[in-house]
Amino acid sequence: MTANSPQAEREDQQLRFQRMEAKLVSGLFDHPGVVRRRSEHQLRYAIALASLDRFQPGAAARGGRNDRRDVRVRSPQLGRWRQRLLDGMGGILLGTPDSKERVEAAAQFLESRLPQLAQTRDEILEKYAGDFSARELDQELGIKTLVSVAGGGGGSGYVYIGAWEVLQHAGLVPGYVIGASMGSVLGLFRALRKDGDWDDYAALAKSMRGEEVFRFVSLRARYGLPGVMRLFLHAAIGSAFRDDSGEELLLPDLEIPFETVVAGLRRDATDETPDEYAQSHLLPEDKRPGPLQLRAQIAAQLVRMVGFVNPRVVREIVVGGDELTRDFNAIDAAGFSAAIPGILHYDVTRDDPHMNAVLPKLMEREDVTALVDGGVANNVPARTAWRQVRDGKIGTRNTYILAFDCFHPQLSLGHLWMQPLTRVVGYQVALNERYASRRMEFRPTLSPINLLPPADQLDRAVAWGRRQMSEELPRIQKFFERVRWVAPNEGA
């Protein structure tokens, strides 16, 4: 997508409406009663209507896609309304520092233009009477769906468990989850059931043993990149991801739509094959190194990992985002996304005809030699989530994208030595910032290298996540208040 292309211009426009709504809702939250309730509905409806582009009728109320086609909405009156709000209300909401004045000025701006808002709605309903009803239009504009983006960060990510638990108890269940690296492993559990059993998930995490999850065995690199250790994710969590007949779950079997970001090592980025990479970097095959040697090898690979955080070296691949990867094995989707380059080697070693057919096609199509940690391609993939929603992933386009970020500079001993890597990843995260409705930087967190923490540390991390999300929750809930259509003279 080039900077000046029509698609880029539409994206910039949609993101401007998203920022306008955020500024409005933030002001409404900070100053309850600053405008009448009817005015709140009209202000939010006006922005939602202006940003309307394409949607699947009925998806917003259903909480996901149905069997109807998407409708692209175009009308002369809508075009004029869109421009009127961008030029007028956009300057007010985005340019007024004081949040109370911002809301009051926006309400005053809209008051004299309510007849035009009603005319725009009427024209759309008349033109598309055969495609959707007034109720379905109002549902799309008035019901917001949560999209959960889970960023990578190793053991730092365990705070997400507590955060998701708080959201679920508040009735905020994601309509779509996407994760990278450790965020993909934890996101897999969030997507497993709409009503997640967080006590069971935490108990499973506490039961895992390092020798079961991380092994020092010789594996031929088929689709992954060799590392110091081998990641055996099926052995660790496979029991939770089987259906009643014992079959392993595929992505469509999860109750919440789920995708992962995986990094593909570009074929033209290196002269080495994966096996040659293992030899040149002296990675072990089937013998566990001594403690000092293991630490030295991991430290060396973490330094080298900075070189992977480069779009010329890796290509972002969304697993589950197209027809080829739609039926990906759920654990494999998370496993490849969590395969830290040079440290954790994830691969398909079992006899799985389906995955052994999909993976070569995927790697050939993307022109990559190995699949590695999605975090090096896009560690907090809010931009990817936003674009997937716009492309129709869940039918509705009226979403709140809540991005979790646990991998950022912190001053504790477990984080200080990771700062060179967290700072490089930070530049990448900044490119995603404008696509998220809210990016939460969790702190404190466990150290990123604490992949299998003792039970007491895991409980502490979960409690940190609960506390921070509980503090954020009231403001987030304001965005999810149902917005209804209020005619200009209604309740006047």
Side-chain angles (χ1 to χ4, degrees):
M1 184 191 305
T2 59
N4 296 320
S5 68
Q7 186 179 354
E9 290 178 3
R10 284 196 299 272
E11 184 170 288
D12 286 342
Q13 186 181 81
Q14 293 294 329
L15 290 169
R16 185 173 173 85
F17 282 125
Q18 182 172 297
R19 293 194 299 274
M20 288 167 59
E21 181 193 35
K23 289 289 188 180
L24 171 65
V25 176
S26 180
L28 292 170
F29 177 82
D30 289 336
H31 305 284
V34 65
V35 295
R36 296 174 61 185
R37 188 66 175 159
R38 65 182 290 273
S39 186
E40 277 197 36
H41 285 288
Q42 289 168 337
L43 283 164
R44 294 193 62 182
Y45 194 100
I47 296 174
L49 184 62
S51 66
L52 183 66
D53 178 70
R54 187 191 301 267
F55 75 104
Q56 184 185 55
R62 185 175 186 268
R65 288 199 66 87
N66 53 51
D67 58 1
R68 295 172 66 178
R69 67 177 183 87
D70 285 11
V71 180
R72 188 180 186 187
V73 181
R74 295 287 184 273
S75 82
Q77 186 71 22
L78 177 59
R80 290 190 291 272
W81 180 252
R82 184 176 290 134
Q83 198 59 52
R84 186 172 291 118
L85 256 65
L86 286 171
D87 294 341
M89 194 182 290
I92 294 169
L93 291 174
L94 301 179
T96 307
D98 184 88
S99 58
K100 184 179 180 183
E101 291 178 8
R102 180 192 312 151
V103 175
E104 291 174 331
Q108 185 176 6
F109 171 88
L110 182 62
E111 188 64 33
S112 63
R113 294 165 178 83
L114 288 174
Q116 293 152 8
L117 172 61
Q119 290 167 12
T120 303
R121 179 176 180 269
D122 288 344
E123 181 180 273
I124 290 171
L125 289 174
E126 181 178 354
K127 181 176 180 179
Y128 294 96
D131 296 298
F132 51 80
S133 65
R135 182 182 181 185
E136 288 168 336
L137 174 65
D138 293 344
Q139 288 171 341
E140 173 63 20
L141 303 181
I143 299 175
K144 195 167 290 293
T145 298
L146 174 64
V147 170
S148 188
V149 177
S156 298
Y158 285 108
V159 290
Y160 300 168
I161 296 174
W164 275 320
E165 184 179 16
V166 169
L167 288 170
Q168 180 175 305
H169 288 162
L172 296 179
V173 174
Y176 167 45
V177 178
I178 185 169
S181 194
M182 185 62 162
S184 67
V185 177
L186 296 169
L188 185 62
F189 282 92
R190 174 57 282 195
L192 177 60
R193 301 280 182 264
K194 290 182 179 179
D195 187 16
D197 191 330
W198 300 104
D199 290 337
D200 272 3
Y201 300 161
L204 178 60
K206 293 174 184 177
S207 71
M208 290 190 290
R209 299 290 176 262
E211 61 272 14
E212 178 183 45
V213 185
F214 309 116
R215 302 182 190 176
F216 297 87
V217 296
S218 180
L219 288 182
R220 180 170 68 91
R222 302 180 70 185
Y223 314 115
L225 186 71
V228 175
M229 297 172 284
R230 278 65 175 167
L231 174 59
F232 280 76
L233 201 57
H234 279 271
I237 64 174
S239 61
F241 292 90
R242 292 182 179 275
D243 62 20
D244 293 340
S245 67
E247 291 294 315
E248 295 180 345
L249 298 183
L250 306 182
L251 292 180
D253 299 321
L254 306 174
E255 290 190 1
I256 298 175
F258 175 65
E259 295 175 344
T260 69
V261 169
V262 173
L265 183 59
R266 294 179 183 271
R267 196 174 300 279
D268 58 1
T270 176
D271 294 329
E272 294 181 312
T273 66
D275 288 330
E276 290 169 343
Y277 179 90
Q279 294 173 11
S280 66
H281 291 81
L282 304 177
L283 298 176
E285 292 186 355
D286 54 7
K287 182 180 178 182
R288 182 186 180 95
L292 291 178
Q293 184 185 4
L294 181 59
R295 288 196 195 98
Q297 286 178 326
I298 291 176
Q301 291 302 322
L302 283 172
V303 172
R304 294 189 183 105
M305 190 174 166
V306 173
F308 285 87
V309 188
N310 185 335
R312 293 175 179 163
V313 176
V314 296
R315 180 193 307 278
E316 180 182 357
I317 301 170
V318 182
V319 171
D322 63 2
E323 190 62 28
L324 177 60
T325 62
R326 188 182 73 87
D327 293 329
F328 220 82
N329 179 281
I331 293 180
D332 288 340
F336 282 114
S337 184
I340 305 171
I343 296 178
L344 291 180
H345 176 193
Y346 186 85
D347 231 312
V348 175
T349 58
R350 65 191 184 280
D351 181 18
D352 188 328
H354 171 66
M355 291 304 297
N356 287 324
V358 169
L359 285 163
K361 293 177 183 177
L362 176 64
M363 295 175 71
E364 180 181 3
R365 185 189 73 185
E366 301 294 336
D367 197 24
V368 298
T369 60
L371 302 176
V372 296
D373 191 329
V376 299
N378 197 351
N379 197 52
V380 186
R383 177 183 58 207
T384 305
W386 191 92
R387 289 176 176 171
Q388 290 294 92
V389 167
R390 290 289 154 182
D391 286 343
K393 179 67 183 182
I394 54 176
T396 179
R397 273 66 167 181
N398 188 1
T399 61
Y400 183 92
I401 297 179
L402 181 58
F404 289 173
D405 183 5
C406 65
F407 194 66
H408 46 79
Q410 297 187 57
L411 297 179
S412 64
L413 290 177
H415 296 82
L416 274 174
W417 66 288
M418 298 287 288
Q419 288 209 10
L421 183 57
T422 56
R423 291 189 185 281
V424 171
V425 170
Y427 292 116
Q428 175 205 84
V429 172
L431 297 175
N432 284 263
E433 186 79 35
R434 68 185 187 133
Y435 295 88
S437 306
R438 174 78 174 94
R439 179 175 65 88
M440 289 183 61
E441 275 195 0
F442 286 88
R443 61 180 76 229
T445 66
L446 300 180
S447 169
I449 62 171
N450 200 353
L451 296 177
L452 289 179
D456 61 329
Q457 293 185 26
L458 179 62
D459 287 340
R460 193 181 313 147
V462 172
W464 288 335
R466 285 195 196 107
R467 184 178 69 229
Q468 187 166 341
M469 180 53 72
S470 295
E471 293 170 354
E472 297 267 353
L473 183 63
R475 185 175 295 273
I476 291 173
Q477 286 178 307
K478 183 68 178 176
F479 283 86
F480 289 89
E481 290 181 355
R482 177 72 176 265
V483 175
R484 67 182 181 89
W485 164 246
V486 181
N489 298 320
E490 183 180 333

Short mmCIF file of all heavy atoms in Angstrom, two decimals, residues 406 408-419 422-423 442-448:
data_model
loop_
_atom_site.label_atom_id
_atom_site.label_comp_id
_atom_site.label_asym_id
_atom_site.label_seq_id
_atom_site.Cartn_x
_atom_site.Cartn_y
_atom_site.Cartn_z
N CYS A 406 3.47 -6.29 26.74
CA CYS A 406 4.23 -6.60 27.95
C CYS A 406 5.73 -6.50 27.73
O CYS A 406 6.51 -6.66 28.67
CB CYS A 406 3.88 -8.00 28.45
SG CYS A 406 4.39 -9.33 27.31
N HIS A 408 8.46 -4.17 26.88
CA HIS A 408 8.92 -2.79 26.77
C HIS A 408 9.93 -2.55 27.88
O HIS A 408 10.00 -3.32 28.85
CB HIS A 408 7.74 -1.81 26.88
CG HIS A 408 6.82 -2.14 28.02
ND1 HIS A 408 7.10 -1.82 29.33
CD2 HIS A 408 5.63 -2.80 28.05
CE1 HIS A 408 6.13 -2.25 30.11
NE2 HIS A 408 5.23 -2.86 29.35
N PRO A 409 10.76 -1.51 27.77
CA PRO A 409 11.80 -1.30 28.78
C PRO A 409 11.23 -1.14 30.19
O PRO A 409 10.30 -0.36 30.41
CB PRO A 409 12.48 0.00 28.31
CG PRO A 409 12.25 0.03 26.84
CD PRO A 409 10.88 -0.55 26.66
N GLN A 410 11.78 -1.91 31.13
CA GLN A 410 11.46 -1.78 32.55
C GLN A 410 12.77 -1.79 33.33
O GLN A 410 13.80 -2.26 32.83
CB GLN A 410 10.55 -2.92 33.01
CG GLN A 410 9.18 -2.93 32.34
CD GLN A 410 8.24 -3.97 32.95
OE1 GLN A 410 7.96 -3.96 34.14
NE2 GLN A 410 7.72 -4.87 32.11
N LEU A 411 12.74 -1.31 34.55
CA LEU A 411 13.97 -1.09 35.30
C LEU A 411 14.35 -2.23 36.23
O LEU A 411 15.40 -2.18 36.86
CB LEU A 411 13.85 0.21 36.12
CG LEU A 411 13.67 1.50 35.30
CD1 LEU A 411 13.55 2.70 36.22
CD2 LEU A 411 14.84 1.68 34.33
N SER A 412 13.53 -3.27 36.32
CA SER A 412 13.88 -4.38 37.19
C SER A 412 15.01 -5.19 36.58
O SER A 412 15.26 -5.15 35.37
CB SER A 412 12.66 -5.28 37.41
OG SER A 412 12.26 -5.88 36.20
N LEU A 413 15.69 -5.98 37.42
CA LEU A 413 16.86 -6.73 36.97
C LEU A 413 16.51 -7.71 35.86
O LEU A 413 17.31 -7.95 34.95
CB LEU A 413 17.48 -7.48 38.15
CG LEU A 413 18.17 -6.60 39.22
CD1 LEU A 413 18.67 -7.47 40.36
CD2 LEU A 413 19.33 -5.82 38.58
N GLY A 414 15.32 -8.29 35.92
CA GLY A 414 14.93 -9.27 34.91
C GLY A 414 14.65 -8.67 33.55
O GLY A 414 14.50 -9.39 32.57
N HIS A 415 14.59 -7.32 33.48
CA HIS A 415 14.29 -6.65 32.22
C HIS A 415 15.43 -5.79 31.68
O HIS A 415 15.52 -5.57 30.48
CB HIS A 415 13.06 -5.74 32.39
CG HIS A 415 11.80 -6.47 32.71
ND1 HIS A 415 11.48 -6.88 33.98
CD2 HIS A 415 10.76 -6.86 31.93
CE1 HIS A 415 10.30 -7.49 33.97
NE2 HIS A 415 9.84 -7.49 32.74
N LEU A 416 16.30 -5.31 32.57
CA LEU A 416 17.31 -4.34 32.16
C LEU A 416 18.17 -4.83 31.01
O LEU A 416 18.43 -4.11 30.04
CB LEU A 416 18.20 -3.96 33.36
CG LEU A 416 17.70 -2.84 34.26
CD1 LEU A 416 18.59 -2.69 35.47
CD2 LEU A 416 17.62 -1.53 33.47
N TRP A 417 18.62 -6.08 31.09
CA TRP A 417 19.54 -6.58 30.07
C TRP A 417 18.85 -6.87 28.74
O TRP A 417 19.49 -7.10 27.73
CB TRP A 417 20.26 -7.82 30.58
CG TRP A 417 19.38 -9.01 30.79
CD1 TRP A 417 18.46 -9.19 31.77
CD2 TRP A 417 19.33 -10.19 29.99
NE1 TRP A 417 17.83 -10.40 31.63
CE2 TRP A 417 18.36 -11.04 30.55
CE3 TRP A 417 20.01 -10.61 28.85
CZ2 TRP A 417 18.05 -12.27 30.02
CZ3 TRP A 417 19.70 -11.86 28.33
CH2 TRP A 417 18.74 -12.67 28.91
N MET A 418 17.49 -6.78 28.74
CA MET A 418 16.74 -6.98 27.51
C MET A 418 16.49 -5.66 26.78
O MET A 418 15.89 -5.64 25.71
CB MET A 418 15.38 -7.62 27.82
CG MET A 418 15.45 -9.00 28.45
SD MET A 418 15.96 -10.26 27.27
CE MET A 418 14.50 -10.38 26.25
N GLN A 419 16.95 -4.54 27.35
CA GLN A 419 16.58 -3.24 26.79
C GLN A 419 17.01 -3.02 25.35
O GLN A 419 16.27 -2.40 24.58
CB GLN A 419 17.09 -2.11 27.69
CG GLN A 419 16.32 -2.01 28.99
CD GLN A 419 16.27 -0.61 29.55
OE1 GLN A 419 16.66 0.35 28.91
NE2 GLN A 419 15.78 -0.49 30.78
N THR A 422 14.19 -4.69 23.51
CA THR A 422 12.89 -4.06 23.69
C THR A 422 12.83 -2.70 23.01
O THR A 422 11.77 -2.29 22.53
CB THR A 422 12.56 -3.90 25.20
OG1 THR A 422 13.60 -3.17 25.84
CG2 THR A 422 12.40 -5.25 25.87
N ARG A 423 13.94 -2.00 22.94
CA ARG A 423 13.94 -0.69 22.28
C ARG A 423 13.78 -0.84 20.77
O ARG A 423 13.08 -0.07 20.13
CB ARG A 423 15.22 0.07 22.62
CG ARG A 423 15.28 0.51 24.08
CD ARG A 423 16.44 1.44 24.37
NE ARG A 423 16.51 1.74 25.79
CZ ARG A 423 15.75 2.62 26.42
NH1 ARG A 423 14.84 3.29 25.75
NH2 ARG A 423 15.89 2.84 27.72
N PHE A 442 1.69 -3.21 30.16
CA PHE A 442 1.59 -3.81 31.48
C PHE A 442 2.91 -3.65 32.23
O PHE A 442 3.99 -3.91 31.69
CB PHE A 442 1.23 -5.29 31.36
CG PHE A 442 -0.20 -5.54 31.00
CD1 PHE A 442 -0.59 -5.60 29.67
CD2 PHE A 442 -1.16 -5.68 31.98
CE1 PHE A 442 -1.91 -5.81 29.32
CE2 PHE A 442 -2.48 -5.90 31.64
CZ PHE A 442 -2.86 -5.96 30.31
N ARG A 443 2.80 -3.23 33.47
CA ARG A 443 3.94 -3.16 34.36
C ARG A 443 3.44 -3.16 35.80
O ARG A 443 2.42 -2.54 36.08
CB ARG A 443 4.81 -1.93 34.08
CG ARG A 443 4.12 -0.59 34.25
CD ARG A 443 5.07 0.54 33.94
NE ARG A 443 5.29 0.72 32.52
CZ ARG A 443 6.49 0.84 31.95
NH1 ARG A 443 7.58 0.78 32.69
NH2 ARG A 443 6.61 1.02 30.65
N PRO A 444 4.09 -3.92 36.68
CA PRO A 444 5.24 -4.76 36.42
C PRO A 444 4.82 -6.06 35.74
O PRO A 444 3.63 -6.39 35.67
CB PRO A 444 5.79 -5.03 37.82
CG PRO A 444 4.57 -5.00 38.70
CD PRO A 444 3.69 -3.93 38.11
N THR A 445 5.83 -6.77 35.26
CA THR A 445 5.63 -8.10 34.69
C THR A 445 6.79 -8.99 35.14
O THR A 445 7.81 -8.50 35.64
CB THR A 445 5.62 -8.07 33.15
OG1 THR A 445 6.93 -7.70 32.68
CG2 THR A 445 4.59 -7.10 32.61
N LEU A 446 6.63 -10.27 34.95
CA LEU A 446 7.75 -11.17 35.15
C LEU A 446 8.79 -10.92 34.07
O LEU A 446 8.51 -10.29 33.05
CB LEU A 446 7.29 -12.63 35.09
CG LEU A 446 6.25 -13.08 36.12
CD1 LEU A 446 5.91 -14.55 35.90
CD2 LEU A 446 6.72 -12.84 37.55
N SER A 447 9.99 -11.43 34.26
CA SER A 447 11.04 -11.30 33.26
C SER A 447 10.64 -12.05 31.99
O SER A 447 10.03 -13.13 32.07
CB SER A 447 12.36 -11.88 33.79
OG SER A 447 13.31 -11.99 32.75
N PRO A 448 10.97 -11.53 30.82
CA PRO A 448 10.65 -12.23 29.58
C PRO A 448 11.23 -13.65 29.51
O PRO A 448 10.65 -14.52 28.85
CB PRO A 448 11.26 -11.33 28.50
CG PRO A 448 11.28 -9.97 29.11
CD PRO A 448 11.56 -10.20 30.56
#
